[in-house]
Amino acid sequence: MTKKRLLWAIAFLVTLMAVVYQRMTGPTNPQKAVVTLNEQDYKFKFPRSATTDNMLITFLENAPVTQGDTLYFRNHNTHDNFTAIPFREMNDHKLCVDLPPKAALDKIDYYVTINGQSYFAQEPLVLRYKDPVPAVWLILHIVLMFFSMLFAAYGLITAIFDRPAGKKILNYLYLTTLTLIAGGFIL
């Protein structure tokens, strides 16, 4: 394997690790928890992102709704009292709740009680509202951000392991900047 291919392989692995880390820890990824209902464990995903056009949030499929299952919410970073919204079960056996309508960039703090047990009451989850984005724009954003990270990683690795590489590094700095502006600022 040539040195250039090895550097690209290392940059690709570094980029993939960064993507996986962001996917696992990002602020809009669902918070996971195991909830016991009727002596059976269910894996819940508590959302931390919602679109302004869909106020129905599904927490789990095929979970029984018990009396008192409730979502409590308030506006983010306020000391308002929490407002209760009861869970409901749709005809296709999905455990859901109808969220209050909010504008894009609004946030709410929330916690839930399920089967008499409170989840996230001490440190409520933050749910961010966003406008819906067409899939083509979202895919383009993700691809451009991936290449921005890849070019940045390759430029850094080249600077460390392939001296002198002045002109090469400058070219990758330009590519990183262009893809970052297009994917991160414009899209």
Side-chain angles (χ1 to χ4, degrees):
M1 184 179 266
T2 66
K3 187 174 188 177
K4 186 174 182 176
R5 285 186 181 174
L6 179 63
L7 294 179
W8 273 111
I10 293 170
F12 187 76
L13 287 174
V14 166
T15 303
L16 276 182
M17 289 188 319
V19 167
V20 168
Y21 178 78
Q22 193 284 329
R23 184 71 185 125
M24 291 172 46
T25 62
T28 59
N29 296 320
Q31 179 72 38
K32 297 175 183 172
V34 176
V35 176
T36 303
L37 300 172
N38 301 333
E39 299 179 12
Q40 184 175 354
D41 290 341
Y42 292 90
K43 293 180 181 178
F44 272 69
K45 288 185 179 180
F46 296 95
R48 295 192 292 171
S49 177
T51 56
T52 56
D53 67 341
N54 184 12
M55 297 301 130
L56 180 69
I57 299 295
T58 302
F59 284 90
L60 187 67
E61 295 183 21
N62 299 319
V65 177
T66 59
Q67 191 72 338
D69 290 351
T70 309
L71 179 137
Y72 297 90
F73 79 95
R74 68 177 177 203
N75 290 324
H76 182 61
N77 279 342
T78 65
H79 296 291
D80 298 343
N81 291 327
F82 281 92
T83 303
I85 304 173
F87 280 96
R88 65 185 175 92
E89 187 174 4
M90 296 180 67
N91 3 0
D92 54 356
H93 304 291
K94 291 182 180 179
L95 185 61
C96 1
V97 67
D98 294 300
L99 292 174
K102 296 281 184 183
L105 301 179
D106 280 350
K107 298 177 186 177
I108 61 170
D109 297 329
Y110 80 94
Y111 70 94
V112 297
T113 57
I114 300 171
N115 202 26
Q117 175 86 26
S118 289
Y119 295 90
F120 310 108
Q122 299 300 321
E123 194 173 325
L125 297 174
V126 177
L127 185 106
R128 293 152 177 80
Y129 285 83
K130 61 185 178 185
D131 282 329
V133 178
V136 67
W137 294 115
L138 187 59
I139 291 168
L140 189 56
H141 161 74
I142 292 168
V143 167
L144 286 170
M145 294 307 295
F146 179 84
F147 277 105
S148 178
M149 291 170 33
L150 180 64
F151 294 145
Y154 182 73
L156 177 64
I157 290 168
T158 301
I160 294 170
F161 295 109
D162 192 20
R163 295 181 184 240
K167 182 79 170 145
K168 277 194 234 177
I169 294 171
L170 194 57
N171 289 339
Y172 285 104
L173 176 63
Y174 290 143
L175 283 172
T176 300
T177 304
L178 287 174
T179 53
L180 182 63
I181 288 171
F185 295 110
I186 295 173
L187 293 177

